Amino acid sequence: QRFYPLPELHVSPIQQTSSTPFDAKGKQDKDEEELHLYECPLYRTSLRASSLTSTGHTTNYVTAVNLPSVQPADNWITRGVALLCQLDE
């Protein structure tokens, strides 16, 4: 399957003064796998042909969404994983 649904996300903006590392709270015991954080790009559509803005992002780019994962971020980057607001179907 090429597309997998992600549960609905409710986003609330906050002002963050410094970058704090991801803390995998809620780990029950030491045998559980460590969680990593993947900074996943969010795009309006899967269309890759759009113009660049002054920030260097495409006009299709919305923001990055930090997703916790058992796999390291490199796993998802290599596979080109991204979130889409809508499918082209």
Side-chain angles (χ1 to χ4, degrees):
Q1 189 175 4
R2 189 171 173 192
F3 298 104
Y4 294 90
L6 183 71
E8 192 172 301
L9 300 175
H10 295 276
V11 180
S12 298
I14 60 168
Q15 185 172 1
Q16 188 173 359
T17 56
S18 65
S19 179
T20 55
F22 177 67
D23 182 17
K25 293 181 181 173
K27 286 176 62 172
Q28 304 268 324
D29 56 47
K30 294 180 182 178
D31 292 334
E32 286 190 37
E33 294 187 51
E34 181 182 340
L35 288 179
H36 301 275
L37 196 61
Y38 171 49
E39 193 172 318
C40 186
L42 173 64
Y43 296 101
R44 289 186 179 98
T45 67
S46 64
L47 181 67
R48 297 196 181 261
S50 59
S51 59
L52 291 176
T53 64
S54 59
T55 61
H57 294 292
T58 67
T59 54
N60 194 25
Y61 178 82
V62 178
T63 190
V65 177
N66 293 324
L67 299 176
S69 172
V70 177
Q71 300 291 331
D74 290 344
N75 178 69
W76 306 114
I77 293 168
T78 302
R79 288 163 176 75
V81 173
L83 298 174
L84 303 175
C85 292
Q86 67 181 34
L87 297 176
D88 299 329
E89 299 172 2

